[in-house]
Amino acid sequence: MEKKVRVRFAPSPTGGLHLGGVRTALFNYLFAKQHNGTFILRVEDTDRTRFVEGAEEYIVSCLEWCGMTPDESPQKGGAFGPYRQSERKNSYRQYADQLIADGHAYYAFDTPKELDAKRKEVSNFTYGLATRGGMRNSLTLAETEVAALLANQTPYVVRIKMPADELVSFTDLIRGHVSFDTNLIDDKVLLKADGMPTYHLAVVADDRAMEISHIFRGEEWLPSAPIHILLWRYLGWADEMPQWVHLPLILKPDGNGKLSKRDGDRLGFPVYAQNWTDPKTGDLTKGFKELGFMPEAFVNLLAMLGWNDGTDQELFTMTELIDKFSVERISKAGAKFDFEKAKWYNHEWIKNADAGILLPAVKAVFAGQGIVADDDALLAKVIDLIKDRCSLLTEFAQQGAYFFNAPAAYDLDAVKPKWTAEKAAFFKAYSEQLIGEGLSAMELEEKFKELAGAHSFKPGELMLPFRIMLVGGKFGPGVFDIAIALGALESIQRIDKAVSAFGE
């Protein structure tokens, strides 16, 4: 019987959610939905020294924004809970004890001070096959001494005992056959002095307990795979081990190394899904959402970082991604992050979206700039007129504020050198023709051209002044479309006010 697909996104609540983390969640989600499986959010909060208040809620918010609501999570619950590792603390001790009893792990009593001294003494010191014989642990101490230390509640950690001269091999669904030499791997801590498990023990125990079928995680976890595989084997669960999928890195724009928050700060773009404010320092790190990205575009661009469907198609809805996603089409090589390309995706999504879809977000953008845009019918018209000009949702305010607030100033340098009393007379006459509703943009333009001829002007001589009267500057969509959206009365008022300003 084929194993039911159950996958998990398992972040640590230590701060903002990097776009690489969101992509890991996305690939988990797509795979689960494609196979009618289960997408799980599990919070790996065993490292209490790095725990940040509010980070879990932030992660949940990011997933919701992206349209990836987990089927099981700390918030939603499920048959395999609890879904926070800190709440599963008591379940891990038994596995550490089992590993010790079977000779696959040991107690290490070395103090932090002793370990620091050893690191100073030995260059590139690692605790493992070559060094554990000279350390204070249950492999080097007499049984009676170990028993006494334990009885006296002497602090210790539990370390895995890496075997000598073994080759740990497995099949990765992206990378194929992968092997590791155990002689080169150190004895990782499995259980910390406070009784909490490290990632290595907890992830294996929880993946087994939650019946995880496939492990999608970043390439940076590949060196940990042999430790986890040995734990699956040592704990007697080898037949239940999930399939491995180590995703390629998201690289800096120049391709040299993994994309980091510092790169975003340095190059002027976000790497977090949403704004993150550090609760200790108050420092704000900007996110894609607040910068003005549509969630659909954000998901689309992430999917294309390391995956494609084998065609030239670049724009995908979530439904299309679920339908077309395949592990076989994930690249082994890292994917360079290109912010200009990211904005292209967003522009395409904005351009193709119905005004009604964009309206709530655009209204919020206007409100954030102190612009009252309560007329939804007008706002919808404005969105349709200017969406082709916006790569970010936040640009709607810059591109469309003049529809709701008449210009407070004009680009006079573009008008005054060629401004004449005759032009002022033309616009006074044209404004009188605007009285009455129901004209189309084309009809407005025809009247404009006819009147220009009657006043011995070429229409081109008058178009720029007309635009600046309505908008304030040399930008915006078709000027007659603007006039129609503003309505006759507002257009007339703007013409009259501008004629006075131009004549000064």
Side-chain angles (χ1 to χ4, degrees), residues 95-129:
Y95 304 125
D97 290 343
Q98 179 185 333
L99 291 165
I100 292 168
D102 293 343
H104 298 307
Y106 58 93
Y107 301 106
F109 299 97
D110 318 274
T111 66
K113 188 176 179 180
E114 289 168 340
L115 290 171
D116 284 342
K118 184 61 71 172
R119 292 187 189 101
K120 290 174 184 174
E121 176 189 330
V122 179
S123 179
N124 299 319
F125 170 77
T126 58
Y127 204 125
L129 188 65

Side-chain angles (χ1 to χ4, degrees), residues 448 457-465:
F448 188 91
F457 286 115
K458 293 179 180 177
E461 298 177 77
L462 302 166
M463 294 286 274
L464 181 60

